[in-house]
Amino acid sequence: MCKASFLILLLFPIFLLHGQTEKDTLAFRIISYNVENLFDCRHDTLKNDYEFLPDGMRHWNYTKYRKKLDAIARVITAVGGWTPPAIVALCEVENDSVLRDLTQRSVLREAGYRYVMTNSPDQRGIDVALLYQREMFKLLSYQSIPIPGSAGKKKFRPTRDILHVSGLLLNKDTLDVFVTHFPSRSGGAKESEPYRLLAARQLKIAADSVYIHRHHPQILIMGDFNDYLDNESVEEVMAAKAPPQDKNNLQPQGLYHLLARKAATRKNFGSYKYQGEWGLLDHIIVSGTLLQPTSHLYTNDNKADVFSLPFLLTEDKKYGGKQPFRTFYGMKYQAGYSDHLPVWAEFRLIY
């Protein structure tokens, strides 16, 4: 072998390494949690929050409020395990005051959360919010997306806005997060369904717009839909389905439900119990781009579940088994957590 050829072979590893940087891998969790009426004990002007005042029918006071804050903080901490969740979607929070108290005056203050929230026309005054760790998720922008008050001649009652938050991850990619709390089933599931369909269509339009404006769209949708997987709002409008087993069938611009397969195969699986039946009202939906194993931000449905540790449950004396340990059972104060269980997913980030 000539000396020139030998020199090239000797330097070849150096050529390969030149310009390359070592990559780090990080795993983090996200949560979606309906916290069941996180109200303070002060009246918000123009809001119907009277039942959660000291002289209201629930006799809500500062002691109960502080206990509620500590309970929610405990749940969020427990879901994260050793590491606080990077992103937390919350439903049924009253105002900026309760979020400030939750993030700065509970055990969560050590986690360094920042937050954004909606200011919706909901008559009870409840909104949705996103907590985030700014070391992991650098806020770029956020907006409230209102739900139209009518469709044709049909009028709808005011409801919660959809929260759209865009943030920069450690690898400099953008993640678009949507937090939603669709209208309730008050008055009957069928009678109230048009409200939820309208909200779902608005959410789908907003999610589709991300595909148009992002070079590499990455979408995460979380919240309480007040509908199940087989309802029209989830199955047809959002077109959210279980991730395919064969990744060759994955559609990058499709929407996939991380809990769909478990809901179809597990008995008594759900985040909410109604008349003795468990069901999934709280959803985690992602774009297909987040299910590609080669993606720098990646998850799969094996890394998502309902969080149901024993301390979140209590005996269901009427129907048997267990049920969520809620703050109120009817009008009776129980000092529990919520009528919903949180749902979570784990992501891998290469940066």
Side-chain angles (χ1 to χ4, degrees):
M1 181 183 295
C2 69
K3 291 183 178 180
S5 299
F6 177 76
L7 185 60
I8 290 173
L9 288 174
L10 185 65
L11 294 176
F12 186 64
I14 298 175
F15 295 151
L16 282 177
L17 290 173
H18 180 70
Q20 291 185 355
T21 58
E22 185 178 348
K23 296 288 185 179
D24 287 324
T25 301
L26 177 70
F28 65 87
R29 286 191 174 185
I30 59 94
I31 310 174
S32 181
Y33 193 19
N34 182 324
V35 294
E36 189 200 2
N37 295 320
L38 182 53
F39 282 83
D40 59 23
C41 17
R42 297 183 298 273
H43 176 52
D44 264 9
T45 307
L46 303 178
K47 298 296 183 181
N48 184 13
D49 59 357
Y50 296 102
E51 65 177 296
F52 285 95
L53 296 176
D55 57 353
M57 64 176 67
R58 295 186 185 273
H59 304 290
W60 192 244
N61 56 37
Y62 186 73
T63 301
K64 293 176 181 177
Y65 169 58
R66 289 296 312 175
K67 189 173 183 62
K68 175 82 171 181
L69 288 174
D70 290 340
I72 299 307
R74 181 187 178 193
V75 175
I76 293 172
T77 302
V79 176
W82 293 105
T83 305
I87 295 173
V88 181
L90 297 177
C91 298
E92 293 198 14
V93 292
E94 184 186 16
N95 51 34
D96 180 81
S97 176
V98 301
L99 289 176
R100 184 173 60 252
D101 288 344
L102 179 64
T103 56
Q104 299 179 19
R105 298 175 182 173
S106 74
V107 295
L108 289 185
R109 63 183 175 273
E110 302 298 330
Y113 282 114
R114 299 294 185 267
Y115 61 85
V116 290
M117 70 178 301
T118 56
N119 184 15
S120 305
D122 178 83
Q123 292 173 347
R124 293 181 60 234
I126 55 174
D127 278 289
V128 300
L130 189 78
L131 311 186
Y132 62 93
Q133 290 189 306
R134 57 181 178 176
E135 298 84 7
M136 298 277 298
F137 184 82
K138 182 181 178 182
L139 182 67
L140 294 176
S141 65
Y142 70 96
Q143 64 170 325
S144 287
I145 303 171
I147 309 302
S150 63
K153 294 182 179 180
K154 190 171 181 62
K155 300 293 182 181
F156 297 105
R157 60 178 176 264
T159 190
R160 278 79 60 177
D161 291 353
I162 298 165
L163 179 62
H164 177 197
V165 186
S166 301
L168 205 62
L169 301 170
L170 290 173
N171 64 351
K172 307 304 180 184
D173 277 349
T174 302
L175 177 66
D176 284 277
V177 184
F178 293 91
V179 185
T180 190
H181 184 190
F182 284 1
S184 76
R185 295 186 158 215
S186 176
K190 205 65 185 173
E191 292 77 7
S192 59
E193 186 177 41
Y195 297 97
R196 292 185 294 281
L197 291 177
L198 192 64
R201 293 185 188 107
Q202 199 71 9
L203 176 57
K204 187 63 165 62
I205 290 169
D208 286 345
S209 71
V210 174
Y211 289 116
I212 297 171
H213 295 102
R214 296 277 186 238
H215 174 68
H216 179 59
Q218 299 181 123
I219 299 172
L220 170 61
I221 300 170
M222 299 184 286
D224 177 2
F225 282 47
N226 272 310
D227 265 340
Y228 301 103
L229 278 159
D230 59 353
N231 288 129
E232 186 178 346
S233 64
V234 181
E235 188 175 49
E236 296 182 27
V237 178
M238 298 304 300
K241 49 195 174 184
Q245 300 278 21
D246 184 354
K247 297 302 181 184
N248 292 323
N249 296 327
L250 186 69
Q251 299 175 349
Q253 294 195 0
L255 291 177
Y256 295 93
H257 199 299
L258 293 183
L259 300 172
R261 204 180 317 278
K262 288 184 175 70
T265 57
R266 284 189 188 176
K267 187 178 180 181
N268 295 325
F269 181 82
S271 60
Y272 187 81
K273 194 176 186 183
Y274 178 68
Q275 295 185 348
E277 297 291 331
W278 283 98
L280 200 65
L281 293 181
D282 303 274
H283 304 275
I284 303 177
I285 298 170
V286 299
S287 56
T289 50
L290 295 176
L291 295 171
Q292 297 170 316
T294 56
S295 175
H296 284 186
L297 181 63
Y298 169 72
T299 188
N300 64 60
D301 54 353
N302 292 323
K303 295 286 188 178
D305 213 332
V306 174
F307 190 74
S308 57
L309 286 188
F311 76 88
L312 287 171
L313 301 168
T314 189
E315 182 183 358
D316 187 344
K317 295 179 181 179
K318 185 173 183 179
Y319 295 102
K322 297 290 185 180
Q323 64 182 357
F325 185 23
R326 55 196 299 173
T327 306
F328 283 91
Y329 188 75
M331 295 305 296
K332 182 182 178 182
Y333 177 65
Q334 295 191 131
Y337 298 87
S338 174
D339 55 347
H340 288 244
L341 296 175
V343 293
W344 61 270
E346 187 170 294
F347 285 77
R348 178 208 69 197
L349 177 68
I350 299 175
Y351 64 102

